Amino acid sequence: MPGTTSSSSPRRILVTSALPYINGAIHLGHLLEHIQTDIWVRYQRMRGHQVIYVCADDTHGTATMLMAEERGMAPETLIETIRAEHARDFEGFLISHDNYYSTHSEENREISELIFTRLKDKGLIFTDEVSQLYDPERQLFLADRFVRGECPNCGAADQPGDNCDVCSATYDAMELKNPRSTLSGAAPEIRASEHYFFDLPQYQDFLRDWLASGAVQPEVANKLGEWLEAGLKPWDISRDAPYFGFLIPGTADKYFYVWMDAPIGYMASFRNYADRHNEVSFDEFWNAGAATEVHHFIGKDIINFHALFWPSVLDGAGFRTPTRIHTHGFITVDGTRMSKSRGTFINAATYLEYMEPEYLRYYYATKLTGTVDDMDINLDDFVQRVNSDLVGKVVNIASRCAGFINKQFDGLLAGHLDDEALWAGYQAAASTIADHYENDDVGKAVREITRLADLANQYIAEHAPWQLIKEEGQRDRVQAVCSMGLNLFRLLIVYLKPILPKMAAESEAFLNVDPLTWADLDTPLTGHRVNAFKPLFSRLERKTVDKLVDASRVPDASQAQSTPDPAGPAANRAAPEADGGFISIDDFAKVELKVAKIVAASPVDGADKLLELTLDLGDEQRRVFSGIKAAYEADALVGQLTVVVANLAPRKMRFGTSEGMVLAAGPGGADIFLIRPDSGAEPGMIVR
């Protein structure tokens, strides 16, 4: 069966997630990226490929030095304390790092110095004098984030050193009027200093070819192509003392800029792992021309560092470039940026006090695409997806069948499959689901899996073992039907295992099987004894989510704070808030319109204008409340076609949850226009 067995030539893959900076706790933004990476990693492992997944904390920079000073501890003590907290939080969400390290390591120092020396020997490093703002009281050069003043464009007071919050103008910090240091309040001075530069313009042609190679998504290549068209500039890779980081070889007061040694932290974390494990070596993954693969998962806010600077530096130093860079978008919660004052800036540790990690893993999976589109966490939709899909569909299959098998047949499954065609249909989906996992279209994989779950539930409902068991001579049929249900459940668990590893492990224990792999799709369980069934998931209550939000709310926090990390690769990745009034064409393009067939319609008790509609979208059914009662008799709508906004977040109403919006046009009455049944449209058809 194509797509159901692992490749005859296993791949050897190194995978990384962007490095969280040590300025704060792990939160929803970090978890999106690490869950996305972990799903891809676990899928590849299930296919029989060798995968090493490494990460590290990003630790260098002025911000680390100042934080340690403020807390009265050595920087090394601070960064190890936070690294341990970050590793604990990721482990709590079942992230399967093989090594979670730190950029402040001897391995990183050695590789950073080696790369610098090779680049210098090739004539790719030069020095130049730069002018910067200097704090005379703290005696250090000021990064943009440590300077505030009056906007040079509109004159607004107390603006940061890079762009104006009032008029959105961008500028250099030295252009601010009446600037002041946020560290001391002193008026900064302009001082000159010698800096080291990487000659990035020499890589203009190299990068144009590399971006066209398929190593990045098309939209990323297009965006970075704008940088190339504008002309690349030399990249400043140094910072002046005092600074927490690595000294540049041959200097006494010049340090590697954090963005120089941070991505080298991927290499350092892997070297630390390789030195402790004999099955891999550093060179076979990082030497130029290596036959292995290197995959980076990042947010779209840092594509310039990973897809322009990083491959150029690697090539210049004689190392291999990444095989593929997987880029994702920003996170919003209920349509707006994560906010401490609203309680939607949720830390990992706080979440774990209230809910199962796999609730979030599954919800993120339903949203993941192979694009850089932003993702919204709708809290009502979150609850509904967990309860409807996981509890109501997948787990429901096992719970409906296991009781009969355990109680009536001592846990023994039938010796044959009851419905070979249904089994074959489940297997045939393997290739499609595999492609979705490989290409980061996890949301599409989930939709296919839930479609299969619907088929299993329909099969069980049609054969009704709870009725058959009451009929004389039907015991064998009950065993066959329930055994079929558990075999379908097992295949669903194979498909879901990259997303839900804990539920998969508990299901494997119930099914009494070894850890499931993709190859297990090939053979059913027949004549096999299962163990007693234990509940895998409990329903998620909205009040539990509300308690989490309340626990995350910070009194008097400024509205919608989702401040980017001050220096590191892992920004909070919260989407900018949209201006009121108008939406862009990009926003409109996100609306998913589908043809739906009305299969049932009825008035809603207590509502003057509403009809409750059951809509067939081709691969699923939805319940929608529509305010067209005055225009149509409910019975007259059955069989009609309409258009529904299919990706509208479910809305909780007094009468129940509405799972979409029906579109209609006209003044009312007989002049509200739907699609004629003979128009050639079919349920599920996309409207463009």
Side-chain angles (χ1 to χ4, degrees):
M1 179 69 62
T4 63
T5 57
S6 60
S7 169
S8 58
S9 301
R11 295 154 61 186
R12 306 187 71 200
I13 311 170
L14 171 61
V15 182
T16 74
S17 298
L19 314 182
Y21 196 60
I22 66 162
N23 68 320
I26 299 302
H27 54 65
L28 293 181
H30 300 112
L31 290 172
L32 165 65
E33 182 167 284
H34 283 254
I35 288 172
Q36 180 191 29
T37 314
D38 189 67
I39 289 171
W40 197 83
V41 164
R42 288 180 182 273
Y43 163 72
Q44 300 296 346
R45 288 172 176 160
M46 287 186 70
R47 298 305 301 265
H49 304 309
Q50 180 188 30
V51 184
I52 298 104
Y53 177 18
V54 302
C55 195
D57 269 0
D58 181 24
T59 61
H60 290 156
T62 304
T64 302
M65 179 183 71
L66 296 174
M67 188 189 305
E69 180 182 302
E70 180 181 337
R71 297 190 184 186
M73 61 176 65
E76 292 80 4
T77 303
L78 171 69
I79 62 178
E80 177 52 31
T81 299
I82 295 177
R83 190 204 66 81
E85 293 173 357
H86 287 179
R88 176 206 63 201
D89 289 345
F90 285 132
E91 184 178 348
F93 278 87
L94 312 174
I95 308 300
S96 58
H97 297 128
D98 291 296
N99 197 42
Y100 192 83
Y101 206 39
S102 167
T103 59
H104 193 65
S105 68
E106 281 306 306
E107 293 93 341
N108 201 4
R109 184 194 304 274
E110 292 171 4
I111 301 171
S112 296
E113 292 178 353
L114 173 65
I115 287 177
F116 175 81
T117 301
R118 288 182 177 181
L119 295 176
K120 187 177 180 181
D121 290 345
K122 289 183 67 174
L124 292 168
I125 300 293
F126 66 89
T127 59
D128 198 5
E129 189 174 87
V130 299
S131 295
Q132 304 168 87
L133 294 178
Y134 182 83
D135 186 328
E137 292 190 15
R138 294 300 302 267
Q139 297 185 345
L140 52 79
F141 286 98
L142 296 170
D144 292 348
R145 62 187 175 279
F146 297 131
V147 184
R148 298 188 78 88
E150 298 172 9
C151 172
N153 183 58
C154 72
D158 196 32
Q159 296 305 304
D162 52 1
N163 64 276
C164 179
D165 294 334
V166 177
C167 71
S168 300
T170 59
Y171 42 76
D172 187 274
M174 288 191 293
E175 297 179 67
L176 283 171
K177 298 177 182 178
N178 300 313
R180 74 179 191 285
S181 166
T182 62
L183 301 179
S184 67
E189 303 171 356
I190 297 178
R191 293 193 181 183
S193 175
E194 185 179 67
H195 275 218
Y196 286 79
F197 289 82
F198 171 66
D199 197 359
L200 187 63
Q202 290 195 37
Y203 272 81
Q204 185 95 9
D205 293 337
F206 167 87
L207 287 170
R208 184 173 286 108
D209 292 340
W210 187 77
L211 291 174
S213 69
V216 298
Q217 292 121 301
E219 59 267 43
V220 172
N222 291 338
K223 181 63 179 178
L224 294 178
E226 297 175 9
W227 286 55
L228 296 178
E229 290 302 317
L232 297 174
K233 298 179 180 179
W235 180 35
D236 188 343
I237 63 168
S238 66
R239 291 297 183 266
D240 294 283
Y243 192 83
F244 181 68
F246 297 143
L247 276 170
I248 293 177
T251 74
D253 60 354
K254 305 294 179 184
Y255 290 79
F256 286 122
Y257 173 42
V258 63
W259 267 110
M260 178 65 179
D261 66 53
I264 297 173
Y266 300 140
M267 305 172 78
S269 184
F270 177 72
R271 171 173 279 179
N272 178 262
Y273 175 87
D275 287 347
R276 294 180 287 108
H277 297 82
N278 294 328
E279 76 273 14
V280 294
S281 73
F282 180 84
D283 290 345
E284 64 186 349
F285 276 84
W286 284 106
N287 277 357
T292 52
E293 301 177 35
V294 173
H295 292 253
H296 298 310
F297 284 77
I298 64 166
K300 65 182 179 181
D301 52 332
I302 52 176
I303 57 173
N304 56 334
F305 294 104
H306 282 81
L308 293 179
F309 304 149
W310 181 229
S312 302
V313 164
L314 286 170
D315 183 78
F319 290 109
R320 57 92 43 79
T321 54
T323 307
R324 184 172 159 205
I325 296 177
H326 308 242
T327 307
H328 62 80
F330 295 132
I331 279 284
T332 59
V333 181
D334 282 341
T336 61
R337 292 189 296 176
M338 295 189 299
S339 164
K340 293 180 180 178
S341 61
R342 288 192 297 269
T344 57
F345 195 101
I346 298 172
N347 288 336
T350 307
Y351 175 102
L352 291 172
E353 293 177 12
Y354 292 88
M355 287 185 285
E356 288 287 333
E358 289 190 315
Y359 291 158
L360 186 66
R361 286 181 67 102
Y362 180 76
Y363 189 68
Y364 274 167
T366 68
K367 298 275 191 172
L368 287 170
T369 70
T371 72
V372 297
D373 290 344
D374 297 339
M375 176 192 298
D376 184 57
I377 303 172
N378 180 281
L379 297 179
D380 284 331
D381 184 44
F382 173 50
V383 174
Q384 192 269 341
R385 290 284 189 112
V386 168
N387 292 337
S388 173
D389 294 359
L390 292 185
V391 180
K393 294 182 180 181
V394 177
V395 174
N396 189 50
I397 298 166
S399 62
R400 294 170 91 180
C401 297
F404 292 105
I405 295 296
N406 288 142
K407 294 176 184 178
Q408 300 293 330
F409 306 99
D410 194 29
L412 185 65
L413 299 180
H416 66 283
L417 288 176
D418 184 64
D419 191 330
E420 292 281 358
L422 183 55
W423 171 263
Y426 261 58
Q427 284 186 310
S431 180
T432 298
I433 294 172
D435 287 344
H436 291 328
Y437 273 127
E438 180 68 42
N439 297 321
D440 302 321
D441 275 325
V442 183
K444 290 182 179 179
V446 170
R447 287 193 288 276
E448 179 67 9
I449 294 166
T450 54
R451 182 188 70 83
L452 295 175
D454 285 336
L455 293 177
N457 280 295
Q458 291 170 17
Y459 165 83
I460 296 166
E462 288 170 2
H463 291 83
W466 49 88
Q467 294 293 339
L468 288 174
I469 198 67
K470 300 175 184 178
E471 300 176 15
E472 186 175 350
Q474 293 297 317
R475 278 181 55 83
D476 288 349
R477 285 291 300 136
V478 171
Q479 185 184 26
V481 169
C482 291
S483 297
M484 184 71 193
L486 291 181
N487 267 286
L488 298 178
F489 170 76
R490 173 172 165 268
L491 295 196
L492 291 175
I493 294 303
V494 172
Y495 290 141
L496 284 168
K497 187 173 180 178
I499 302 168
L500 304 171
K502 180 172 177 284
M503 189 181 92
E506 293 172 352
S507 299
E508 289 159 354
F510 155 60
L511 294 169
N512 192 27
V513 295
D514 292 333
L516 294 166
T517 71
W518 211 257
D520 288 307
L521 296 169
D522 290 339
T523 54
L525 290 178
T526 53
H528 175 84
R529 197 174 301 279
V530 300
N531 294 319
F533 177 77
K534 297 179 182 179
L536 299 172
F537 272 113
S538 57
R539 288 182 61 82
L540 176 59
E541 300 294 334
R542 175 61 203 240
K543 63 183 179 181
T544 303
V545 177
D546 292 338
K547 289 179 181 178
L548 170 61
V549 171
D550 288 341
S552 302
R553 187 172 287 116
V554 178
D556 300 323
S558 58
Q559 290 294 318
Q561 283 298 313
S562 182
T563 309
D565 291 337
N572 291 330
R573 295 181 189 121
E577 291 186 286
D579 292 330
F582 297 96
I583 65 171
S584 69
I585 189 65
D586 291 335
D587 292 326
F588 181 73
K590 296 177 184 177
V591 178
E592 184 177 285
L593 303 178
K594 285 187 176 182
V595 175
K597 183 177 182 179
I598 302 173
V599 297
S602 60
V604 178
D605 291 338
D608 295 333
K609 300 180 180 180
L610 291 181
L611 291 178
E612 179 180 342
L613 307 177
T614 301
L615 305 178
D616 178 7
L617 277 70
D619 59 351
E620 62 174 322
Q621 290 192 352
R622 300 268 190 93
R623 179 174 69 165
V624 172
F625 294 100
S626 181
I628 58 174
K629 184 177 180 181
Y632 286 98
E633 293 292 334
D635 292 344
L637 287 172
V638 176
Q640 296 290 322
L641 298 178
T642 186
V643 174
V644 63
V645 181
N647 61 340
L648 187 69
R651 180 186 177 193
K652 190 174 183 180
M653 305 175 69
R654 180 161 58 94
F655 314 101
T657 299
S658 185
E659 301 173 314
M661 176 186 290
V662 167
L663 300 187
D671 293 325
I672 285 186
F673 304 113
L674 302 176
I675 302 174
R676 290 173 38 162
D678 60 356
S679 63
E682 297 179 355
M685 182 180 292
I686 300 295
V687 179
R688 300 187 186 279

